[in-house]
Amino acid sequence: MKIVLNTNSQPSSKPTTWSQRFESALHPAIARFNASIGFDIQLIEYDLTGSQAHAQMLAHTGIISAEEGETLVNGLEQIRQEYREGTFTPGIDAEDVHFAVERRLTELVGDVGKKLHTARSRNDQVGTDTRLYLRDQIQKIRDQLRDFQTVLLTLAEQNVETLIPGYTHLQRAQPLSLAHHLLAYFEMSQRDWERLGEIYNRVNVSPLGSGALAGTTFPIDRHYTAKLLNFGGVYANSLDGVSDRDFAIEFLCAASLIMVHLSRLSEEVILWASEEFSFVSLKDSCSTGSSIMPQKKNPDVPELVRGKTGRVFGHLQAMLVLMKGLPLAYNKDLQEDKEALFDAVVTVQSCLEAMTVLLQEGMEFRTGRLLEAVSEDFSNATDVADYLATKGVPFREAYNLVGKVVKTSLAQGKLLKDLTLDEWKALHPAFEADIYAAIAPQQVVAARNSYGGTGFAQVRQALESAKARLAA
Ligand code: ARG
């Protein structure tokens, strides 16, 4: 949806929006400073929908006539069409989207348009709009998380027996099934998806009818509008209804966690794509070149995701600070909630989309190189100690012995698999010929068959569980 904003329009000399109490119009600089239309125009469709519900409620309760209600609803629908066609482009003289809509409505339907704001305030109105907006965005992000998980699952299914070095402290630790590594991100995304579902329920509560702060003298029906707007409930306290933004903060927390997860994956992809690791190759469609170094292929997508993560954290921080000192109920500070929220939403959505594409078609695991990597190190050392431990040697004793073996092997430029059986036996009489099979990378991975471990049997079960949860 394209946002056309008439920034050239000047505030009129006469006060238009507020009561007759005001004798002169705002100073142009103050009008610009005060206006939120530049960004809250993004809420227009929600504002129209919320206003239509309010108008229907006014008619339903007899506060206005049925005919007036219909006129208002139709007028609002016409504004929706105008907006979609690009002919409704309010300027800053409208101050905000709510005034812009009300003014246009009155132009379209005449004086009855002035009845729309009966028993309502912009405070409960903007709270309603923001929740309706966020509800939609949360649904979209949850769908995107599902797409991301589907791609992770597909990749994992193809790579159960592909091995990849596993790291702690970014030092080679123990080899892994690549599927196990990918499924770790599946699990993180699963929690992200669930978390957003829980938050959705708290976003999905209607503040409409809270009025400016204290409710209204009109016999409104808040449950009626809540039902029309598919809210799960209504705010029980009008002050809370108009001044609460914890639903947005919760969303920003969840958004930050999504970004943490995407950023960690990004960092891994960046490492994997380096010459030093060479675990993945990036496709031309998802990487860029350098303007000066012709040999380069840069992992811009994961770098941007990693970079954008800070923005979302910043919005969370901004919103927390915004709220902490606010007395009840509405304060204009709350107008500052929107840009933070909008930017966090588009940032998370664009990052999820880009990372999904990257995983799906933008990179390829270099399986030959991965196999080489897991075969050329000491990441099977724990398995030698485990081998001795299963033969009755106390683990700590076995651990110390293997430490010595690693040291001498390193000095001789050998790997554990290069030791002869005599050399093994000289180290400890418990070693038999089956030591070679026990320390082969494939076996090292297969043997970690504890629940949640990287053993192939476990990974296959984990894949089944992941599939079931995606389908549910
Ligand atoms: N543009 C305002 C906002 O976003 C709408 C609410 C204005 N309410 C008020 N009491 N001035 O917060």
Side-chain angles (χ1 to χ4, degrees):
M1 185 179 309
K2 195 162 175 274
I3 297 156
V4 189
L5 180 65
N6 180 2
T7 41
N8 291 328
S9 77
Q10 288 297 314
S12 65
S13 54
K14 270 198 254 137
T16 49
T17 40
W18 318 294
S19 71
Q20 296 305 309
R21 164 186 175 154
F22 288 85
E23 279 173 11
S24 68
L26 276 178
H27 185 286
I30 301 303
R32 281 194 297 274
F33 185 67
N34 193 47
S36 54
I37 186 78
F39 47 88
D40 66 16
I41 188 74
Q42 289 181 60
L43 293 175
I44 186 166
E45 298 255 358
Y46 304 102
D47 195 73
L48 293 166
T49 303
S51 290
Q52 285 175 323
H54 180 69
Q56 280 173 271
M57 183 279 293
L58 291 177
H60 172 76
T61 51
I63 298 169
I64 60 174
S65 72
E67 201 196 330
E68 287 172 329
E70 213 182 302
T71 305
L72 293 177
V73 169
N74 293 339
L76 290 162
E77 200 52 33
Q78 194 176 332
I79 298 174
R80 196 188 302 276
Q81 291 320 315
E82 290 179 355
Y83 178 71
R84 288 184 182 174
E85 284 158 13
T87 54
F88 179 55
T89 57
I92 52 163
D93 56 321
E95 185 178 327
D96 63 20
V97 67
H98 322 294
F99 275 142
V101 165
E102 192 181 329
R103 197 172 66 183
R104 180 67 188 140
L105 182 67
T106 304
E107 282 168 17
L108 286 172
V109 304
D111 276 353
V112 62
K114 297 177 183 167
K115 289 198 174 185
L116 176 66
H117 213 52
T118 314
R120 187 177 69 169
S121 154
R122 278 185 300 158
N123 299 348
D124 55 343
Q125 187 179 357
V126 72
T128 305
D129 294 1
T130 309
R131 285 166 182 82
L132 291 174
Y133 159 84
L134 192 54
R135 226 170 53 169
D136 269 9
Q137 304 309 322
I138 288 177
Q139 300 275 35
K140 182 169 174 203
I141 295 171
R142 289 187 95 212
D143 289 347
Q144 289 187 300
L145 281 167
R146 280 316 201 199
D147 292 343
F148 179 62
Q149 287 183 295
T150 304
V151 173
L152 282 168
L153 187 61
T154 308
L155 266 181
E157 276 176 320
Q158 294 161 357
N159 287 290
V160 175
E161 303 211 2
T162 308
L163 305 188
I164 185 169
Y167 296 82
T168 63
H169 314 267
L170 202 57
Q171 305 286 320
R172 293 273 180 94
Q174 289 165 352
L176 300 168
S177 152
L178 175 54
H180 192 57
H181 196 120
L182 295 167
L183 286 178
Y185 286 103
F186 179 96
E187 296 294 337
M188 294 177 228
S189 317
Q190 177 67 21
R191 287 192 296 278
D192 289 332
W193 183 84
E194 286 169 11
R195 197 172 359 258
L196 278 180
E198 288 150 19
I199 291 170
Y200 182 93
N201 294 327
R202 281 184 293 277
V203 172
N204 195 27
V205 179
S206 174
L208 193 57
S210 295
L213 75 166
T216 171
T217 55
F218 291 93
I220 60 169
D221 185 343
R222 292 189 55 205
H223 298 280
Y224 188 81
T225 43
K227 203 164 164 217
L228 285 178
L229 295 169
N230 283 318
F231 278 116
V234 301
Y235 272 81
N237 180 297
S238 61
L239 289 169
D240 184 34
V242 290
S243 63
D244 162 43
R245 293 293 183 273
D246 59 15
F247 71 94
I249 293 176
E250 273 195 79
F251 168 77
L252 290 170
C253 286
S256 295
L257 285 171
I258 293 172
M259 293 305 297
V260 169
H261 296 152
L262 292 181
S263 187
R264 294 188 75 181
L265 177 58
S266 295
E267 173 63 15
E268 296 206 298
V269 172
I270 293 162
L271 287 172
W272 292 343
S274 69
E275 189 84 41
E276 286 70 12
F277 278 78
S278 296
F279 290 174
V280 299
S281 51
L282 298 175
K283 301 264 185 69
D284 290 359
S285 59
C286 290
S287 47
T288 60
S290 154
S291 61
I292 168 169
M293 297 164 283
Q295 84 283 11
K296 288 196 71 188
K297 210 172 189 190
N298 296 329
D300 289 30
V301 171
E303 287 177 308
L304 275 173
V305 171
R306 189 177 59 184
K308 285 174 189 287
T309 299
R311 264 164 81 158
V312 177
F313 295 177
H315 295 317
L316 169 62
Q317 184 68 13
M319 193 79 98
L320 286 167
V321 177
L322 176 70
M323 295 306 293
K324 77 174 273 289
L326 289 189
L328 296 183
Y330 179 87
N331 299 269
K332 189 72 173 219
D333 313 46
L334 290 176
Q335 182 163 288
E336 289 290 309
D337 65 354
K338 282 165 217 56
E339 285 161 295
L341 198 57
F342 297 167
D343 187 68
V345 162
V346 295
T347 303
V348 169
Q349 290 173 346
S350 64
C351 289
L352 270 170
E353 182 182 32
M355 284 303 278
T356 304
V357 171
L358 179 69
L359 287 189
Q360 190 165 35
E361 54 185 85
M363 62 183 232
E364 207 160 8
F365 283 97
R366 301 180 58 187
T367 46
R369 163 68 197 139
L370 285 169
L371 186 62
E372 196 181 284
V374 294
S375 313
E376 70 185 13
D377 61 20
F378 287 88
S379 62
N380 49 3
T382 318
D383 299 79
V384 178
D386 287 354
Y387 177 93
L388 286 178
T390 50
K391 302 222 166 181
V393 181
F395 179 78
R396 188 55 66 208
E397 200 180 300
Y399 165 91
N400 285 330
L401 183 109
V402 179
K404 263 183 246 159
V405 182
V406 170
K407 192 169 148 188
T408 50
S409 303
L410 271 174
Q412 297 167 6
K414 280 184 176 177
L415 292 169
L416 293 175
K417 64 179 179 193
D418 302 327
L419 299 184
T420 64
L421 190 53
D422 287 344
E423 285 173 310
W424 282 116
K425 284 208 175 285
L427 287 162
H428 200 287
F431 284 116
E432 310 276 356
D434 60 354
I435 180 64
Y436 295 104
I439 62 169
Q442 207 73 14
Q443 174 56 24
V444 165
V445 175
R448 290 199 160 65
N449 201 30
S450 53
Y451 181 82
T454 193
F456 302 123
Q458 286 301 320
V459 171
R460 289 208 174 84
Q461 276 184 31
L463 279 171
E464 286 314 307
S465 148
K467 232 184 281 176
R469 281 176 286 161
L470 264 191

PDB file of all heavy atoms in Angstrom, residues 36 40 95-96 98 121-123 126 245 330-332 334-335 337-338, ligand 1:
ATOM      1  N   SER A  36       0.812  13.578  13.658  1.00  0.00           N
ATOM      2  CA  SER A  36       1.244  12.179  13.537  1.00  0.00           C
ATOM      3  C   SER A  36       0.777  11.570  12.221  1.00  0.00           C
ATOM      4  O   SER A  36       1.042  10.410  11.936  1.00  0.00           O
ATOM      5  CB  SER A  36       0.715  11.354  14.714  1.00  0.00           C
ATOM      6  OG  SER A  36      -0.684  11.490  14.834  1.00  0.00           O
ATOM      7  N   ASP A  40       0.828   7.793  11.232  1.00  0.00           N
ATOM      8  CA  ASP A  40      -0.348   7.006  11.647  1.00  0.00           C
ATOM      9  C   ASP A  40      -1.347   6.801  10.505  1.00  0.00           C
ATOM     10  O   ASP A  40      -2.326   6.077  10.662  1.00  0.00           O
ATOM     11  CB  ASP A  40      -1.000   7.556  12.925  1.00  0.00           C
ATOM     12  CG  ASP A  40      -1.637   8.928  12.783  1.00  0.00           C
ATOM     13  OD1 ASP A  40      -1.861   9.369  11.642  1.00  0.00           O
ATOM     14  OD2 ASP A  40      -1.904   9.544  13.834  1.00  0.00           O
ATOM     15  N   GLU A  95      -3.701  16.868  11.205  1.00  0.00           N
ATOM     16  CA  GLU A  95      -3.067  16.463  12.460  1.00  0.00           C
ATOM     17  C   GLU A  95      -2.819  14.962  12.538  1.00  0.00           C
ATOM     18  O   GLU A  95      -1.687  14.519  12.582  1.00  0.00           O
ATOM     19  CB  GLU A  95      -3.841  16.927  13.690  1.00  0.00           C
ATOM     20  CG  GLU A  95      -3.082  16.584  14.975  1.00  0.00           C
ATOM     21  CD  GLU A  95      -3.785  17.070  16.244  1.00  0.00           C
ATOM     22  OE1 GLU A  95      -4.453  18.118  16.208  1.00  0.00           O
ATOM     23  OE2 GLU A  95      -3.642  16.405  17.270  1.00  0.00           O
ATOM     24  N   ASP A  96      -3.897  14.202  12.598  1.00  0.00           N
ATOM     25  CA  ASP A  96      -3.683  12.751  12.659  1.00  0.00           C
ATOM     26  C   ASP A  96      -4.729  12.021  11.837  1.00  0.00           C
ATOM     27  O   ASP A  96      -5.668  12.633  11.307  1.00  0.00           O
ATOM     28  CB  ASP A  96      -3.601  12.238  14.106  1.00  0.00           C
ATOM     29  CG  ASP A  96      -4.885  12.444  14.902  1.00  0.00           C
ATOM     30  OD1 ASP A  96      -5.961  12.633  14.284  1.00  0.00           O
ATOM     31  OD2 ASP A  96      -4.810  12.421  16.142  1.00  0.00           O
ATOM     32  N   HIS A  98      -7.098  10.167  12.652  1.00  0.00           N
ATOM     33  CA  HIS A  98      -8.463  10.161  13.188  1.00  0.00           C
ATOM     34  C   HIS A  98      -9.218  11.429  12.763  1.00  0.00           C
ATOM     35  O   HIS A  98     -10.358  11.352  12.308  1.00  0.00           O
ATOM     36  CB  HIS A  98      -8.430  10.052  14.709  1.00  0.00           C
ATOM     37  CG  HIS A  98      -7.346   9.144  15.213  1.00  0.00           C
ATOM     38  ND1 HIS A  98      -7.357   7.792  14.956  1.00  0.00           N
ATOM     39  CD2 HIS A  98      -6.201   9.395  15.899  1.00  0.00           C
ATOM     40  CE1 HIS A  98      -6.262   7.257  15.486  1.00  0.00           C
ATOM     41  NE2 HIS A  98      -5.538   8.208  16.061  1.00  0.00           N
ATOM     42  N   SER A 121     -13.413   8.928  22.231  1.00  0.00           N
ATOM     43  CA  SER A 121     -12.298   9.869  22.289  1.00  0.00           C
ATOM     44  C   SER A 121     -11.237   9.339  21.340  1.00  0.00           C
ATOM     45  O   SER A 121     -11.234   8.141  21.004  1.00  0.00           O
ATOM     46  CB  SER A 121     -11.767   9.921  23.722  1.00  0.00           C
ATOM     47  OG  SER A 121     -10.403  10.297  23.740  1.00  0.00           O
ATOM     48  N   ARG A 122     -10.334  10.228  20.930  1.00  0.00           N
ATOM     49  CA  ARG A 122      -9.226   9.699  20.128  1.00  0.00           C
ATOM     50  C   ARG A 122      -8.362   8.752  20.958  1.00  0.00           C
ATOM     51  O   ARG A 122      -7.627   7.940  20.410  1.00  0.00           O
ATOM     52  CB  ARG A 122      -8.367  10.838  19.579  1.00  0.00           C
ATOM     53  CG  ARG A 122      -8.923  11.478  18.330  1.00  0.00           C
ATOM     54  CD  ARG A 122      -7.961  12.506  17.801  1.00  0.00           C
ATOM     55  NE  ARG A 122      -7.704  13.548  18.769  1.00  0.00           N
ATOM     56  CZ  ARG A 122      -6.632  14.341  18.775  1.00  0.00           C
ATOM     57  NH1 ARG A 122      -5.715  14.211  17.843  1.00  0.00           N
ATOM     58  NH2 ARG A 122      -6.471  15.271  19.691  1.00  0.00           N
ATOM     59  N   ASN A 123      -8.472   8.875  22.284  1.00  0.00           N
ATOM     60  CA  ASN A 123      -7.632   8.026  23.131  1.00  0.00           C
ATOM     61  C   ASN A 123      -8.033   6.551  23.048  1.00  0.00           C
ATOM     62  O   ASN A 123      -7.181   5.677  22.891  1.00  0.00           O
ATOM     63  CB  ASN A 123      -7.672   8.505  24.586  1.00  0.00           C
ATOM     64  CG  ASN A 123      -7.142   9.922  24.720  1.00  0.00           C
ATOM     65  OD1 ASN A 123      -6.545  10.442  23.781  1.00  0.00           O
ATOM     66  ND2 ASN A 123      -7.352  10.543  25.871  1.00  0.00           N
ATOM     67  N   VAL A 126      -7.412   5.480  19.192  1.00  0.00           N
ATOM     68  CA  VAL A 126      -6.065   5.132  18.740  1.00  0.00           C
ATOM     69  C   VAL A 126      -5.606   3.815  19.371  1.00  0.00           C
ATOM     70  O   VAL A 126      -4.917   3.007  18.744  1.00  0.00           O
ATOM     71  CB  VAL A 126      -5.052   6.281  18.993  1.00  0.00           C
ATOM     72  CG1 VAL A 126      -4.704   6.443  20.471  1.00  0.00           C
ATOM     73  CG2 VAL A 126      -3.772   6.055  18.196  1.00  0.00           C
ATOM     74  N   ARG A 245       0.153   0.296  27.271  1.00  0.00           N
ATOM     75  CA  ARG A 245       0.875  -0.076  26.055  1.00  0.00           C
ATOM     76  C   ARG A 245       1.710  -1.330  26.317  1.00  0.00           C
ATOM     77  O   ARG A 245       2.618  -1.641  25.562  1.00  0.00           O
ATOM     78  CB  ARG A 245       1.793   1.057  25.576  1.00  0.00           C
ATOM     79  CG  ARG A 245       1.060   2.314  25.088  1.00  0.00           C
ATOM     80  CD  ARG A 245       0.254   2.083  23.813  1.00  0.00           C
ATOM     81  NE  ARG A 245      -0.390   3.308  23.326  1.00  0.00           N
ATOM     82  CZ  ARG A 245      -1.583   3.732  23.718  1.00  0.00           C
ATOM     83  NH1 ARG A 245      -2.291   3.049  24.621  1.00  0.00           N
ATOM     84  NH2 ARG A 245      -2.092   4.848  23.209  1.00  0.00           N
ATOM     85  N   TYR A 330      -4.021   8.956  29.462  1.00  0.00           N
ATOM     86  CA  TYR A 330      -3.345   9.259  28.208  1.00  0.00           C
ATOM     87  C   TYR A 330      -2.431  10.469  28.365  1.00  0.00           C
ATOM     88  O   TYR A 330      -2.777  11.456  29.017  1.00  0.00           O
ATOM     89  CB  TYR A 330      -4.363   9.531  27.093  1.00  0.00           C
ATOM     90  CG  TYR A 330      -3.696   9.879  25.771  1.00  0.00           C
ATOM     91  CD1 TYR A 330      -3.315   8.883  24.881  1.00  0.00           C
ATOM     92  CD2 TYR A 330      -3.408  11.213  25.440  1.00  0.00           C
ATOM     93  CE1 TYR A 330      -2.674   9.202  23.689  1.00  0.00           C
ATOM     94  CE2 TYR A 330      -2.766  11.531  24.253  1.00  0.00           C
ATOM     95  CZ  TYR A 330      -2.404  10.520  23.376  1.00  0.00           C
ATOM     96  OH  TYR A 330      -1.769  10.831  22.207  1.00  0.00           O
ATOM     97  N   ASN A 331      -1.270  10.385  27.761  1.00  0.00           N
ATOM     98  CA  ASN A 331      -0.366  11.535  27.610  1.00  0.00           C
ATOM     99  C   ASN A 331       0.106  11.528  26.169  1.00  0.00           C
ATOM    100  O   ASN A 331       0.232  10.458  25.555  1.00  0.00           O
ATOM    101  CB  ASN A 331       0.863  11.387  28.523  1.00  0.00           C
ATOM    102  CG  ASN A 331       0.462  11.326  29.995  1.00  0.00           C
ATOM    103  OD1 ASN A 331       0.395  12.324  30.681  1.00  0.00           O
ATOM    104  ND2 ASN A 331       0.192  10.126  30.485  1.00  0.00           N
ATOM    105  N   LYS A 332       0.392  12.694  25.659  1.00  0.00           N
ATOM    106  CA  LYS A 332       0.760  12.764  24.239  1.00  0.00           C
ATOM    107  C   LYS A 332       2.027  11.967  23.940  1.00  0.00           C
ATOM    108  O   LYS A 332       2.265  11.552  22.798  1.00  0.00           O
ATOM    109  CB  LYS A 332       0.931  14.221  23.813  1.00  0.00           C
ATOM    110  CG  LYS A 332       1.098  14.419  22.311  1.00  0.00           C
ATOM    111  CD  LYS A 332      -0.191  14.185  21.526  1.00  0.00           C
ATOM    112  CE  LYS A 332      -0.007  14.567  20.065  1.00  0.00           C
ATOM    113  NZ  LYS A 332      -1.203  15.222  19.518  1.00  0.00           N
ATOM    114  N   LEU A 334       2.406   9.137  24.309  1.00  0.00           N
ATOM    115  CA  LEU A 334       1.993   7.838  23.751  1.00  0.00           C
ATOM    116  C   LEU A 334       1.941   7.840  22.226  1.00  0.00           C
ATOM    117  O   LEU A 334       1.947   6.784  21.601  1.00  0.00           O
ATOM    118  CB  LEU A 334       0.634   7.422  24.334  1.00  0.00           C
ATOM    119  CG  LEU A 334       0.669   7.038  25.822  1.00  0.00           C
ATOM    120  CD1 LEU A 334      -0.735   6.737  26.335  1.00  0.00           C
ATOM    121  CD2 LEU A 334       1.575   5.825  26.042  1.00  0.00           C
ATOM    122  N   GLN A 335       1.883   9.038  21.651  1.00  0.00           N
ATOM    123  CA  GLN A 335       1.927   9.105  20.191  1.00  0.00           C
ATOM    124  C   GLN A 335       3.243   8.520  19.665  1.00  0.00           C
ATOM    125  O   GLN A 335       3.321   8.085  18.517  1.00  0.00           O
ATOM    126  CB  GLN A 335       1.766  10.558  19.738  1.00  0.00           C
ATOM    127  CG  GLN A 335       1.753  10.750  18.248  1.00  0.00           C
ATOM    128  CD  GLN A 335       1.196  12.117  17.859  1.00  0.00           C
ATOM    129  OE1 GLN A 335       0.003  12.355  17.971  1.00  0.00           O
ATOM    130  NE2 GLN A 335       2.059  13.013  17.429  1.00  0.00           N
ATOM    131  N   ASP A 337       4.572   5.836  20.458  1.00  0.00           N
ATOM    132  CA  ASP A 337       4.604   4.366  20.415  1.00  0.00           C
ATOM    133  C   ASP A 337       4.611   3.837  18.979  1.00  0.00           C
ATOM    134  O   ASP A 337       5.125   2.761  18.709  1.00  0.00           O
ATOM    135  CB  ASP A 337       3.413   3.759  21.190  1.00  0.00           C
ATOM    136  CG  ASP A 337       2.045   4.079  20.574  1.00  0.00           C
ATOM    137  OD1 ASP A 337       1.976   4.867  19.602  1.00  0.00           O
ATOM    138  OD2 ASP A 337       1.037   3.556  21.077  1.00  0.00           O
ATOM    139  N   LYS A 338       4.045   4.646  18.067  1.00  0.00           N
ATOM    140  CA  LYS A 338       3.730   4.089  16.747  1.00  0.00           C
ATOM    141  C   LYS A 338       4.933   3.827  15.861  1.00  0.00           C
ATOM    142  O   LYS A 338       5.072   2.732  15.303  1.00  0.00           O
ATOM    143  CB  LYS A 338       2.735   4.998  16.027  1.00  0.00           C
ATOM    144  CG  LYS A 338       1.341   4.798  16.544  1.00  0.00           C
ATOM    145  CD  LYS A 338       0.424   5.909  16.121  1.00  0.00           C
ATOM    146  CE  LYS A 338      -0.549   6.236  17.221  1.00  0.00           C
ATOM    147  NZ  LYS A 338       0.044   6.583  18.523  1.00  0.00           N
TER     148      LYS A 338
HETATM  149  N1  ARG B   1      -2.411  11.065  17.410  1.00  0.00           N
HETATM  150  C1  ARG B   1      -2.685  10.744  18.758  1.00  0.00           C
HETATM  151  C2  ARG B   1      -1.799   9.565  19.206  1.00  0.00           C
HETATM  152  O1  ARG B   1      -1.317   8.919  18.379  1.00  0.00           O
HETATM  153  C3  ARG B   1      -4.106  10.361  18.919  1.00  0.00           C
HETATM  154  C4  ARG B   1      -4.611  10.514  20.313  1.00  0.00           C
HETATM  155  C5  ARG B   1      -4.684  11.939  20.683  1.00  0.00           C
HETATM  156  N2  ARG B   1      -5.284  12.125  21.941  1.00  0.00           N
HETATM  157  C6  ARG B   1      -5.185  13.276  22.621  1.00  0.00           C
HETATM  158  N3  ARG B   1      -5.740  13.316  23.773  1.00  0.00           N
HETATM  159  N4  ARG B   1      -4.536  14.308  22.137  1.00  0.00           N
HETATM  160  O2  ARG B   1      -1.604   9.320  20.374  1.00  0.00           O
END
